[in-house]
Amino acid sequence: TKYSQIFEKYKPDENNLLPISDIENDLYTFVFSNLKKVIKSKTKGTERKELMELFTVINDYNNFSRVLRLKKYYNLTPEQIKNNLLYPFSSISEKTLDRMCRAESSGEVFSVMQETHTGKMIEQIGYVYASDISPRVKYKLARKNMYFSNNPSVVMISYMFVAETELMNIITLIEGTRYKLDSKKIQSLLIV
């Protein structure tokens, strides 16, 4: 496949383990690079601007979520966290991302993110867990684009994001019911 060149450069270490986060970064870099090339070669004007903005904001929040997750669950150093971010596809400056990586707490990461133009959206969405923020922002942007964009490609990709979210909500409802979660808890997990 077109991904083989990425996998070929990684070999298991002495414990037969692969550097999964490095592979994940390379895969995302490959996908975002190709996406950027397609957008630049196939679109122009406001269509290009809207598509680039949509994917850049999504990636900004993915980087934000990664910083939080890598700090909390993996206790990585700021340098290790920086190596796991996708800088070329972010509207957040490298200096600001560096501040997030060096932050001492999750609260400080949130504060730094909320200083950015992109980060101001955090206040507009409700979330239960920090990992909810990225999909909620993606959904909110997609809904907005479906109603206000004049570009068919932007509306179509936004529709796909909304449909994907609706499917995730159905799965959440089914699993919540199956595991007998309180209805308020299930409702809090839905992305609306």
Side-chain angles (χ1 to χ4, degrees), residues 53-171:
E53 185 176 295
L54 177 63
F55 287 107
T56 301
V57 169
I58 288 169
N59 191 59
D60 287 344
Y61 278 95
N62 286 340
N63 277 338
F64 168 67
S65 292
R66 277 181 174 205
V67 171
L68 287 171
R69 188 176 76 238
L70 294 173
K71 277 187 165 305
K72 184 174 182 175
Y73 298 111
Y74 297 96
N75 203 23
L76 297 182
T77 67
E79 287 306 313
Q80 290 171 315
I81 294 170
K82 283 168 58 175
N83 291 335
N84 281 283
L85 302 180
L86 299 173
Y87 288 97
F89 314 104
S90 180
S91 67
I92 300 173
S93 73
E94 194 169 336
K95 181 180 175 184
T96 302
L97 286 170
D98 184 60
R99 283 180 53 215
M100 287 199 300
C101 293
R102 295 190 184 291
E104 296 294 320
S105 67
S106 296
E108 191 178 337
V109 175
F110 269 89
S111 294
V112 173
M113 181 65 172
Q114 288 177 309
E115 291 171 11
T116 69
H117 176 72
T118 306
K120 296 194 186 324
M121 291 178 77
I122 292 174
E123 294 174 10
Q124 300 171 7
I125 60 169
Y127 63 92
V128 178
Y129 304 106
S131 60
D132 292 345
I133 294 172
S134 189
R136 287 176 188 270
V137 166
K138 185 176 170 182
Y139 178 74
K140 187 174 188 71
L141 287 173
R143 295 254 330 184
K144 178 182 157 203
N145 284 338
M146 279 178 55
Y147 289 104
F148 296 110
S149 178
N150 293 323
N151 297 299
S153 62
V154 175
V155 173
M156 184 62 186
I157 196 82
S158 296
Y159 170 76
M160 293 300 296
F161 288 156
V162 168
E164 175 186 45
T165 303
E166 289 172 349
L167 290 175
M168 286 174 23
N169 282 341
I170 291 169
I171 291 167

Side-chain angles (χ1 to χ4, degrees), residues 21-33:
S21 62
D22 292 343
I23 295 169
E24 180 185 12
N25 277 350
D26 283 356
L27 289 168
Y28 274 116
T29 299
F30 180 79
V31 169
F32 273 104
S33 295

Side-chain angles (χ1 to χ4, degrees), residues 36-49:
K36 201 172 182 180
K37 284 178 195 170
V38 169
I39 292 171
K40 287 188 174 187
S41 68
K42 304 288 184 189
T43 64
K44 57 185 175 194
T46 58
E47 180 181 26
R48 179 185 293 174
K49 182 178 180 266

Side-chain angles (χ1 to χ4, degrees), residues 169-187 189-190:
N169 282 341
I170 291 169
I171 291 167
T172 300
L173 285 167
I174 292 167
E175 289 179 345
T177 304
R178 179 178 182 205
Y179 295 114
K180 297 177 175 49
L181 293 180
D182 178 72
S183 62
K184 293 211 183 297
K185 176 67 173 174
I186 295 170
Q187 198 170 8
L189 297 172
L190 299 177

